[in-house]
Amino acid sequence: MNGVHDMGGLQGFGPIDREAQEPVFHADWEKRVFALFFGGFAGGFYNIDMFRAEIERMPGHEYLRSSYYEHWLHAIEALLIQGGAVTHAELQARIAELQAAGRKEPH
Amino acid sequence: MTSLPPADTAMSHDHDHAHGHDAPLPEVVLRVKALEALLTEKGLVDSAALDAIVDTYEKKIGLRNGAQVVARAWTDPAYKARLLADGSKAIAELGYSGVQGEDMVVVENTASVHNMVVCTLCSCYPWPTLGLPPVWYKSAPYRSRAVIDPRGVLKEFGVDIPADKEVRVWDSNAELRYFVLPERPAGSEGLSEAELIELVTRDSMIGTGLPKPVGAAA
């Protein structure tokens, strides 16, 4: 399929921003997303092609606004829900719980 | 859009320590925590196994592997011939294979040809030999421009290719990944394989850089 992910030849994205001494991951959540990809893969919930297709199906504006590992997270969540490993409702409920717990924590 | 940082909200909370600072956890962090917690409770993932995966890609798999392949090819003509004939097999000889390195094609830089690699569709990259890709390789500016203005991109990387030298751009994909065998630096004839490894940079194996000159500080 074509879409914004098919970037070869597009113009207007500006200079290439390089980082000296770049770490492998830039945040702890990126590490977990990277590892969770393998978890879902090993569990048989998706293969590489399904994973890529899911990223390519992201709405164009979301794809451009989000980072590499956010693309991964999007695909992993979607494929695990499709595969029946978790439900959307379970995820939403757990996110709400974590949010509430965060608010209650003493400063 | 310049390069995309990881969600900017997450950038300031690298260690997930938002609590205690009156700042809510960024949404992306909550999503990841929720997902890992649920999968763990269901017995689908094991946190220790996830830690081990992270540790492997953070500390064990990296460009040293690719540098060894290059140095071997520079010093062993028979190995170089095997490498150019069947990249995956020759790289596996040195023990490097696996996820995202299953099908490798090695392209050789020569006096008349400079090769560089991009993945315009996503960010395909040879993990077993180079580790995980840097952010710029995955970014829109590199992916879009490498194929229409390779010489301009190379200049941005400080690499000036003479006009009479051909530049070939290879678009990696999920099935097949390219790897550049850089030219052996002038004056490196007397160096050992271990010394040569030190001259090989990550970018020289992507084709956006050249090996370090002989005598340059490590």
Side-chain angles (χ1 to χ4, degrees):
Chain A
M1 66 182 276
N2 65 20
V4 291
H5 67 277
D6 193 355
M7 289 182 161
L10 294 183
Q11 295 178 320
F13 285 109
I16 297 159
D17 198 0
R18 288 183 291 149
E19 181 181 349
Q21 308 298 319
E22 181 174 339
V24 176
F25 298 100
H26 290 76
D28 284 346
W29 69 265
E30 292 189 352
K31 301 180 190 183
R32 303 321 280 176
V33 169
F34 178 77
L36 284 169
F37 162 81
F38 286 89
F41 183 79
F45 292 99
Y46 47 80
N47 60 33
I48 292 281
D49 294 334
M50 293 163 75
F51 179 70
R52 271 192 58 193
E54 204 56 53
I55 290 177
E56 293 176 1
R57 269 204 293 272
M58 284 179 81
H61 63 283
E62 274 178 40
Y63 182 94
L64 291 176
R65 241 189 22 200
S66 52
S67 71
Y68 178 72
Y69 284 112
E70 287 178 289
H71 296 170
W72 279 44
L73 177 60
H74 168 90
I76 294 168
E77 284 172 341
L79 291 165
L80 288 174
I81 290 169
Q82 286 165 33
V86 289
T87 66
H88 184 73
E90 281 176 320
L91 278 172
Q92 290 309 112
R94 184 59 59 97
I95 289 168
E97 269 174 42
L98 290 168
Q99 224 159 10
R103 268 190 230 106
K104 268 183 235 143
E105 261 184 54
H107 47 274
Chain B
M1 183 187 66
T2 55
S3 82
L4 290 162
D8 38 308
T9 43
M11 281 298 278
S12 51
H13 302 299
D14 270 4
H15 304 290
D16 300 355
H17 283 167
H19 57 81
H21 302 285
D22 295 328
L25 287 170
E27 190 222 348
V28 67
V29 173
L30 289 171
R31 280 165 63 194
V32 177
K33 279 182 182 297
L35 187 61
E36 182 174 346
L38 284 169
L39 294 176
T40 304
E41 286 161 23
K42 291 165 185 275
L44 295 171
V45 302
D46 171 66
S47 285
L50 299 184
D51 291 342
I53 290 168
V54 171
D55 188 66
T56 297
Y57 281 92
E58 252 191 328
K59 304 197 179 110
K60 301 193 178 102
I61 298 180
L63 67 101
R64 298 287 296 184
N65 298 359
Q68 198 199 337
V69 170
V70 170
R72 180 67 54 88
W74 283 346
T75 52
D76 180 344
Y79 181 76
K80 179 175 156 184
R82 292 201 297 282
L83 184 67
L84 295 174
D86 185 339
S88 322
K89 213 164 139 191
I91 290 167
E93 275 180 44
L94 301 187
Y96 311 128
S97 59
V99 184
Q100 312 284 313
E102 294 91 344
D103 289 291
M104 298 282 297
V105 169
V106 178
V107 289
E108 182 188 15
N109 283 352
T110 65
S112 55
V113 176
H114 180 86
N115 296 283
M116 66 185 275
V117 180
V118 63
C119 172
T120 60
L121 285 174
C122 41
S123 44
C124 299
Y125 191 78
W127 293 1
T129 38
L130 296 186
L132 299 181
V135 167
W136 62 257
Y137 184 85
K138 304 178 280 193
S139 73
Y142 183 72
R143 287 164 52 193
S144 59
R145 200 139 51 82
V147 288
I148 46 168
D149 181 23
R151 287 175 195 270
V153 167
L154 287 168
K155 267 200 192 105
E156 249 178 85
F157 278 80
V159 178
D160 213 344
I161 302 295
D164 60 350
K165 191 170 194 170
E166 185 185 345
V167 174
R168 292 184 189 160
V169 182
W170 302 86
D171 198 351
S172 283
N173 59 59
E175 278 77 44
L176 192 156
R177 281 133 219 269
Y178 295 98
F179 177 98
V180 175
L181 174 60
E183 278 185 277
R184 184 168 173 163
S188 66
E189 292 74 18
L191 300 186
S192 68
E193 191 175 310
E195 289 166 322
L196 288 170
I197 285 174
E198 300 302 326
L199 302 181
V200 183
T201 62
R202 177 194 65 202
D203 289 3
S204 73
M205 296 179 278
I206 302 173
T208 52
L210 301 174
K212 294 176 201 160
V214 174

